[in-house]
Amino acid sequence: MIDPGHNGGNADHLEEINRLVNIGNGIKPCNTTGTATADGYTEAEFNWDVATLVVASLRERGAEVILTRPDNEGWGPCITERAATGNLNQADAVISIHADGGPDDGRGFHVIHPANVAGLTDDIYEASLRLARALHTAYLATSMPVADYIGEGGLSERDDLGGLNLSDVPAVFLEAGNMRSAADVVLLTDAEFQTDIADAVVAALIAFLAG
Ligand code: ZN
């Protein structure tokens, strides 16, 4: 399952997306608007653009792929529903595609994997870590450096993300770069680099599923 984070219409549906939902160890808004570049290229659109490339490549290789939203025009779905979709479909792997809204002097990508939370993510912790490492390794082949402002060497463990907490199948988030960094934005807005991102995601899934 490929999960393009946020949605293009979220900003016009703040009441709906700000509704609080249960993420297992706390409450969070149903969804958020995400970040954007200084020029107004939204993260939701970036996520959708990259997801489209990933899905096309995976399907070309014969993979069965599901998406958590059909386009970049609507709002939501809630993080709870996104996780439920992966669970219901017994996805072999879930990759959520995001770009970060970090400090403007911070650079780079990171891969987020779930912390080991008893009764919540203990069942997917090991496999998700393996998926995160596969994605991290594949992404090192791109020209984006590892994040220098968050995580450790491009990996970050989190226990506060509903999409990971509520997943019963291996799940990670890709933060493809920092949309607030002028240097990263040069890459993130480049069509060729977006193809490199998609190639990295596909390579990671192939490596992970080959197990
Ligand atoms: Zn995001």
Side-chain angles (χ1 to χ4, degrees), residues 23-111:
I23 64 160
N25 60 356
I27 54 169
K28 274 283 190 81
C30 146
N31 210 220
T32 54
T33 55
T35 188
T37 69
D39 288 342
Y41 180 45
T42 67
E43 186 202 339
E45 190 177 352
F46 167 83
N47 298 340
W48 177 252
D49 290 344
V50 172
T52 301
L53 296 172
V54 171
V55 170
S57 176
L58 286 171
R59 285 186 176 149
E60 209 174 273
R61 291 158 196 272
E64 189 182 338
V65 190
I66 51 173
L67 274 162
T68 52
R69 54 182 170 102
D71 52 42
N72 195 43
E73 312 305 320
W75 62 272
C78 292
I79 50 180
T80 47
E81 294 167 60
R82 292 176 193 240
T85 299
N87 296 343
L88 199 67
N89 287 279
Q90 297 180 288
D92 295 305
V94 176
I95 295 186
S96 294
I97 295 172
H98 289 257
D100 203 13
D104 58 13
D105 61 348
R107 283 208 65 187
F109 80 92
H110 64 288
V111 178

Side-chain angles (χ1 to χ4, degrees), residues 152-169:
E152 284 175 44
L155 282 168
S156 173
E157 184 175 283
R158 299 267 299 264
D159 68 359
D160 62 330
L161 295 173
L164 301 182
N165 284 1
L166 301 174
S167 184
D168 294 324
V169 293

